[in-house]
Amino acid sequence: MTNRRTSGATSKGPRALAIAGLPVPLELRESARTRRLTLRVDAGRGLIQVVVPSGISETEVHRFIHRHDGWLRARLDALPPRLPFVDGARVPVLGSEHVIRHVPDLRGGTRREDGVLLVGGRAEHLERRVHDHLIGEARRELAERARAKAALISKRVAAVTVRDTRSRWGSCAASGRLSFSWRLILTPEAVLDYVVAHEVAHLVEMNHSARFWAVCAGLTAEVKGPRAWLKANGARLLRYG
């Protein structure tokens, strides 16, 4: 729930705010640029964010949140369940479902074999090992595809970085640096391929003009289907790990 979109740097770092009755944590940010209170549910981190103008009292913040209690609870109820990386959990890798199997004495690093994600080492390190493996797979897959697609349009990718972004799946800087969400490795191959094509197309057109979409369509097999898939499933991707 938002009265007005906000942007710009905040005057203070985020801090926790205790609100009786809320089932998830609340993060409060003060912004010198915003004039109204803004409320949103962060699906990826499982918390509520409220951005307020500088100088607003906590009493007013509490009133604002309570006024939107019904909206908040509806949004929280609609969130997909958390999907931790634990032994026996199922995780998709490029559209193929894999079952996580903890094998303590496994030699070598984490690897995929016949629909199973084999993870060695101590149990308390399992989630981190799965996370690191998926990030590595994403980095390799995204970089290879980005450079291959850029070559098709006689462009060069300066660098490819992989992050855990929450508001976008990819970005392209004027310098030719591309950045992607590692969670794309959890999507069907056609979806990952489309996002790579989208960002590479920005090496030609730093906009979303008709020419941009023509370049993008020439770099991937499908555009509309993957875009619809991300819209329908993006929130779920943020719940893994």
Side-chain angles (χ1 to χ4, degrees), residues 29-47:
R29 292 175 179 267
E30 285 190 23
S31 171
R33 295 188 177 184
T34 187
R35 297 180 181 178
R36 300 184 182 184
L37 290 82
T38 301
L39 190 63
R40 67 182 289 268
V41 174
D42 187 323
R45 292 192 292 159
L47 54 77

Side-chain angles (χ1 to χ4, degrees), residues 102-171:
H102 181 219
V103 184
D105 57 352
L106 179 72
R107 292 181 178 275
T110 302
R111 60 181 181 268
R112 290 182 283 144
E113 290 183 3
D114 301 322
V116 177
L117 190 59
L118 299 170
V119 190
R122 296 166 61 177
E124 59 265 34
H125 299 152
L126 184 145
E127 183 158 18
R128 177 183 57 79
R129 287 176 180 269
V130 173
H131 183 260
D132 290 348
H133 172 77
L134 292 173
I135 289 178
E137 290 286 281
R139 183 178 292 112
R140 177 185 58 78
E141 190 74 33
L142 291 162
E144 287 180 3
R145 291 186 187 234
R147 292 192 169 96
K149 291 182 186 299
L152 294 175
I153 54 174
S154 301
K155 294 292 183 179
R156 189 181 72 85
V157 174
V160 175
T161 58
V162 175
R163 301 174 181 174
D164 193 10
T165 51
R166 301 283 168 165
S167 60
R168 59 176 65 185
W169 302 112
S171 63

